[in-house]
Amino acid sequence: MTKIRSTAMSRTVPWKLLAAALALIALAGCGSQSKSSASLEGSKEAIALYNARCISCHASDLSGKVGPDSDLRTVGSRMTKEAIAKQITNGGDIMPAFASKLSADDIDKLADWLSKQQ
Ligand code: HEC
């Protein structure tokens, strides 16, 4: 994924605000997070972490709920494991940082699992 910030910035601001609002709604409104994550395959530990921390924004099938940038279905073909770990650690434009919420080991498990989603 390439972000062309300089040219697209003014156009993307309303979208970012909308996405932020949707993210808040997703966080506030999503009580039951254990629904249909049965389609996810791979490390059970990583999937448990994903279900606990990420599903509210990235959806039970990884398709993403807060815009195209939150679609993780083929994230492993766009980002290295290291880049994914960095995104989880530091967060993004909208995504919160997990540096203080997850251990380095948990972040590594998530990054390893996501890097296999291609
Ligand atoms: C509050 C909503 C929210 C939560 C919670 C969240 N994310 Fe995100 N995530 C986003 C958004 C929105 C993006 C798109 C980039 C941005 O705006 O930050 C994103 C982007 C990403 C990306 C980069 C995708 C790309 O193609 O650039 C990865 C990897 C990722 N998230 C993993 C995770 C993991 C793993 C967790 C759980 C530990 C998580 N996210 C929790 C909202 C969230």
Side-chain angles (χ1 to χ4, degrees):
M1 183 198 62
T2 314
K3 289 185 182 173
I4 313 165
R5 289 181 189 281
S6 50
T7 55
M9 194 51 114
S10 57
R11 274 192 297 116
T12 57
V13 166
W15 165 244
K16 292 289 182 195
L17 287 175
L18 179 66
L22 286 173
L24 287 175
I25 292 165
L27 280 179
C30 218
S32 70
Q33 304 189 333
S34 56
K35 269 194 272 171
S36 57
S37 54
S39 58
L40 299 179
E41 289 175 9
S43 158
K44 286 194 168 45
E45 271 181 296
I47 292 169
L49 286 166
Y50 178 84
N51 286 340
R53 301 289 190 156
C54 324
I55 204 170
S56 55
C57 291
H58 289 287
S60 57
D61 62 352
L62 299 173
S63 61
K65 294 184 182 177
V66 279
D69 287 351
S70 67
D71 187 340
L72 300 179
R73 282 173 296 188
T74 58
V75 70
S77 60
R78 292 192 304 275
M79 295 171 80
T80 62
K81 182 186 160 186
E82 289 68 33
I84 293 170
K86 212 175 146 203
Q87 169 86 20
I88 301 169
T89 306
N90 301 330
D93 294 341
I94 294 167
M95 181 169 149
F98 284 88
S100 61
K101 299 175 195 156
L102 291 173
S103 68
D105 196 41
D106 286 347
I107 291 174
D108 186 71
K109 285 189 186 111
L110 277 166
D112 188 57
W113 174 67
L114 283 172
S115 69
K116 292 174 184 145
Q117 310 297 323
Q118 306 198 350

